[in-house]
Amino acid sequence: VEGLVDDRGRNYEVHRGATARYAETHGLLTFSFYRMAPGETVEGILVFDVPLQASGLRLVVRDADPLSNNPPTILLPLPGAAR
């Protein structure tokens, strides 16, 4: 996971400490960062510290071990976020 990007191009990284605390408090799994097989499904939570005025958030997923200098990027629009 690369992070979140808003409609102004600002980037936000995963807050790993807050993610771990939130998951533990609510009995949830954190998102695991490992090499996935094609077609594999992974579930988990990620916590980001994003200003209230940020809009148009997209989750950016990028190959962490690219075979080229221009790895594919997946942009996932987020319909809403907990504030």
Side-chain angles (χ1 to χ4, degrees), residues 43-83:
E43 293 184 25
I45 65 157
L46 298 170
V47 175
F48 297 87
D49 186 13
V50 179
L52 285 174
Q53 70 274 18
S55 61
L57 296 172
R58 299 176 314 280
L59 181 64
V60 180
V61 180
R62 203 176 295 241
D63 187 347
D65 188 21
L67 297 176
S68 72
N69 290 333
N70 190 20
T73 298
I74 301 169
L75 297 177
L76 303 171
L78 303 176
R83 299 274 181 182

Side-chain angles (χ1 to χ4, degrees), residues 6-82:
D6 67 17
D7 57 5
R8 294 177 57 193
R10 295 178 294 192
N11 295 295
Y12 307 96
E13 294 182 11
V14 173
H15 191 299
R16 293 181 189 251
T19 296
R21 285 190 298 280
Y22 185 88
E24 183 178 334
T25 300
H26 297 282
L28 302 170
L29 297 173
T30 59
F31 185 84
S32 296
F33 294 92
Y34 64 90
R35 188 175 186 92
M36 296 171 55
E40 182 177 359
T41 300
V42 177
E43 293 184 25
I45 65 157
L46 298 170
V47 175
F48 297 87
D49 186 13
V50 179
L52 285 174
Q53 70 274 18
S55 61
L57 296 172
R58 299 176 314 280
L59 181 64
V60 180
V61 180
R62 203 176 295 241
D63 187 347
D65 188 21
L67 297 176
S68 72
N69 290 333
N70 190 20
T73 298
I74 301 169
L75 297 177
L76 303 171
L78 303 176

